Amino acid sequence: GKPTDGVVARCFNRPISRRLSAALLRMPGMKPVHATIGTAVIAVGMFVALIFGGRGGLLAGALLFHGASVFDGVDGEIARATFRTSRAGAALDSAIDVVTNVAAMLGMAINLALRGEREALALVAWGIALLLLGLAMIGRRSLRETGSFNLDGVKHRYRGRFSAPGATRLMTLATLGTSRDFCALVYLALVLAGIPIFGLYLFAVVTPVWILFVFAALAPSRGAPTAHGGTA
């Protein structure tokens, strides 16, 4: 696991992904990038199911989105188990995370819009615009400070800035609500409950909250030196 794992990742996803990693590590020549490609393949299947599958495709897409969220942990577990962690690997993993998230929301919106729920496209356009803005901010800072794009850095930053007990509990709840693992599980539950449009309303509400955390995490600390434009 990782220090940035949320409750859903620790309690639901990691027990499955660890078993998958253990099985894959028995295969000769298995590398982290092979698992990363596996996540990308699941994401492609998810998007195709969502945009072409109608009502059944919506369920298949939601299952594959959750599956991609679970399988996404495998490349990092294999990397840590075989001492192959790298900035390039983390950057590729983060990039595929972004594409998977956007594809899931866009695919769900297209699926629902084709079946008459026109507000789906407006909801996802709002959410994706904010998501891309936040990602551009994170990417710019990551490239300037580390030379690679990594989503975990912002989690470390905003957790470290709120250390008071009450603020820590609030931050834990907020982190849970804005994590991909949590959202993928909730979307699956909403699809199973027959109210998938609520998933896009959730996306439209969560992204403004998430981008506030991005602003808070990336804002310079008061009185901190800023060598090369970065915080200390």
Side-chain angles (χ1 to χ4, degrees):
K2 295 186 298 184
T4 53
D5 281 349
V7 174
V8 174
R10 287 197 308 271
C11 298
F12 295 96
N13 292 7
R14 286 293 179 194
I16 299 172
S17 64
R18 285 185 183 122
R19 285 174 171 78
L20 292 171
S21 297
L24 290 172
L25 281 167
R26 296 188 180 96
M27 298 174 62
M30 175 56 61
K31 296 179 181 179
V33 69
H34 297 145
T36 304
I37 293 170
T39 302
V41 170
I42 295 172
V44 170
M46 170 201 72
F47 187 67
V48 171
L50 285 170
I51 63 175
F52 292 118
R55 190 179 299 274
L58 187 65
L59 176 58
L63 286 167
L64 287 169
F65 184 34
H66 181 61
S69 176
V70 173
F71 198 79
D72 179 56
V74 172
D75 55 358
E77 290 165 0
I78 290 176
R80 290 187 289 275
T82 58
F83 303 98
R84 286 175 171 163
T85 57
S86 67
R87 287 182 179 178
L92 178 61
D93 182 54
S94 291
I96 290 178
D97 285 352
V98 170
V99 173
T100 301
N101 294 345
V102 172
M105 297 301 98
L106 183 59
M108 187 179 293
I110 292 172
N111 183 292
L112 294 175
L114 289 173
R115 295 193 287 118
E117 302 200 53
R118 299 298 178 185
E119 72 272 27
L121 293 175
L123 291 169
V124 84
W126 160 258
I128 287 178
L130 291 178
L131 179 65
L132 293 178
L133 173 61
L135 290 171
M137 294 168 58
I138 294 170
R140 182 172 177 270
R141 177 63 66 87
S142 295
L143 289 171
R144 188 170 64 190
E145 294 186 351
T146 69
S148 65
F149 176 66
N150 192 331
L151 292 175
D152 280 335
V154 73
K155 294 181 183 179
H156 287 297
R157 284 180 180 273
Y158 66 63
R159 283 180 177 178
R161 287 195 169 190
F162 301 94
S163 56
T168 299
R169 284 192 292 271
L170 179 62
M171 192 56 57
T172 299
L173 290 174
T175 303
L176 171 65
T178 57
S179 72
R180 193 267 300 275
D181 299 322
F182 174 79
C183 290
L185 186 60
V186 169
Y187 293 149
L188 176 58
L190 292 173
V191 170
L192 291 172
I195 48 175
I197 191 65
F198 282 22
L200 296 185
Y201 278 106
L202 176 64
F203 179 56
V205 170
V206 164
T207 43
V209 176
W210 174 77
I211 204 167
L212 288 176
F213 293 151
V214 172
F215 277 118
L218 300 184
S221 301
R222 286 187 181 179
T226 55
H228 305 295
T231 57

